[in-house]
Amino acid sequence: MNDEELKKVLEAGRIGARAREAGAKLIKAGAKVLDVCEAVEKIIIEAGAFPAFPCNLSINSEAAHYSPLIGDEKVIPEGAVVKLDIGAHIDGFISDTAVTVSLEDRYEKLLDSSRDALKFAIMNSKVGANIGDIGKVIEKTIKINGFKPIRNLGGHLIKRYELHAGVFIPNVYERNAGTLQDGNTYAIEPFATDGAGMVIEGKQITIYSVRSVDEKGLNDVERKYLSEIFHRFNYLPFNERWLKDIGSADEIRSNLVSLSKKGKLYGYPVLIEAKKGIVAQFEHTIYVSKDNLIVTTDVNNS
């Protein structure tokens, strides 16, 4: 990564951090999920970046991947535990960060377990660090607080226009998970729960990404949609809200489902804790080099 690319990584991180902090203050009982997410996405855009994926606002046993739809009326309930997961990118250079807000004091220890796991995982991150051992630190920190890490969720390598670039940072110990490499960007995101410690896929899909740009087998309308989606988002995730200028909600949804069935799009189901446990998540993006480690989603990164 050259100096200009690193500059974009760091600026995307600062913008993501500011949007995260501002968004957390909007999480209140009765607030519309749609209003919170669109406000956060607007902050990112007005700061000179673009959302790297649709704002996720997942509540209680929803662990991830709930992003509001066009006209969404869902509101944040009293006493909720709310995960705000957002990303920003500049020219495809991505930051990914998350915070959990509890509207009820009794879940603060759960939040602390995830927050502390993130802190200790970052403290143990450097070039050559064993990724499995980072997972071990996360697992130990969450368990010592009396909770379970979600074993089938975790962090990931980030590359340009690739949010999940093939390397998995587990929330539990795993053998042969590899090592952190010089010049790479990684997201670390401990998930903690009072439930089963794993997630399952729900029925609802609110986020998509391009899987294939091959137009074979598509009708003219599907071809138009696929072309426009790839032009706007490349392979990064998107939400139907970001297409509302090119069709009605029903038309957009119909084409997204059709393109998914034909293998052109990938849909991300809302992920739900297997025993409906409450889930907390905190996340930072880090840049690792031989010289130092930078938490890019620290507001004051440098």
Side-chain angles (χ1 to χ4, degrees), residues 162-231:
E162 278 190 90
L163 184 60
H164 292 259
V167 176
F168 183 63
I169 314 291
N171 287 325
V172 296
Y173 175 70
E174 288 187 7
R175 298 181 63 184
N176 304 316
T179 59
L180 299 184
Q181 299 296 306
D182 180 36
N184 279 348
T185 303
Y186 300 90
I188 299 179
E189 48 182 321
F191 287 82
T193 183
D194 58 4
M198 66 176 294
V199 291
I200 57 175
E201 293 184 351
K203 294 180 179 180
Q204 190 172 23
I205 294 174
T206 66
I207 300 171
Y208 295 86
S209 65
V210 172
R211 173 179 278 174
S212 170
V213 294
D214 181 2
E215 296 182 349
K216 184 178 179 180
L218 302 184
N219 62 39
D220 289 345
V221 176
E222 292 167 343
R223 195 174 292 113
K224 180 194 80 169
Y225 267 85
L226 182 61
S227 175
E228 186 64 25
I229 288 166
F230 188 71
H231 172 72

Side-chain angles (χ1 to χ4, degrees), residues 64-231:
H65 296 171
Y66 187 87
S67 190
L69 302 175
I70 295 170
D72 203 315
E73 294 295 328
K74 185 175 183 178
V75 299
I76 298 170
E78 297 280 349
V81 174
V82 184
K83 282 74 63 185
L84 176 70
D85 191 348
I86 62 172
H89 82 88
I90 297 173
D91 195 23
F93 294 96
I94 298 168
S95 69
D96 185 359
T97 187
V99 64
T100 300
V101 176
S102 177
L103 302 181
E104 190 168 310
D105 290 344
R106 69 188 177 104
Y107 292 113
E108 283 304 323
K109 189 175 179 182
L110 174 65
L111 271 62
D112 287 343
S113 72
S114 175
R115 187 187 290 111
D116 289 348
L118 176 60
K119 178 178 71 174
F120 294 135
I122 292 173
M123 288 171 60
N124 283 272
S125 297
K126 61 182 180 180
V127 171
N130 185 292
I131 292 172
D133 287 343
I134 294 172
K136 187 176 183 178
V137 168
I138 293 171
E139 180 178 14
K140 181 179 179 181
T141 304
I142 292 173
K143 284 185 172 180
I144 205 168
N145 282 286
F147 302 103
K148 294 180 181 178
I150 296 184
R151 59 184 181 273
N152 57 341
L153 288 178
H156 44 92
L157 174 67
I158 300 173
K159 292 185 179 179
R160 189 181 183 192
Y161 286 112
E162 278 190 90
L163 184 60
H164 292 259
V167 176
F168 183 63
I169 314 291
N171 287 325
V172 296
Y173 175 70
E174 288 187 7
R175 298 181 63 184
N176 304 316
T179 59
L180 299 184
Q181 299 296 306
D182 180 36
N184 279 348
T185 303
Y186 300 90
I188 299 179
E189 48 182 321
F191 287 82
T193 183
D194 58 4
M198 66 176 294
V199 291
I200 57 175
E201 293 184 351
K203 294 180 179 180
Q204 190 172 23
I205 294 174
T206 66
I207 300 171
Y208 295 86
S209 65
V210 172
R211 173 179 278 174
S212 170
V213 294
D214 181 2
E215 296 182 349
K216 184 178 179 180
L218 302 184
N219 62 39
D220 289 345
V221 176
E222 292 167 343
R223 195 174 292 113
K224 180 194 80 169
Y225 267 85
L226 182 61
S227 175
E228 186 64 25
I229 288 166
F230 188 71
H231 172 72

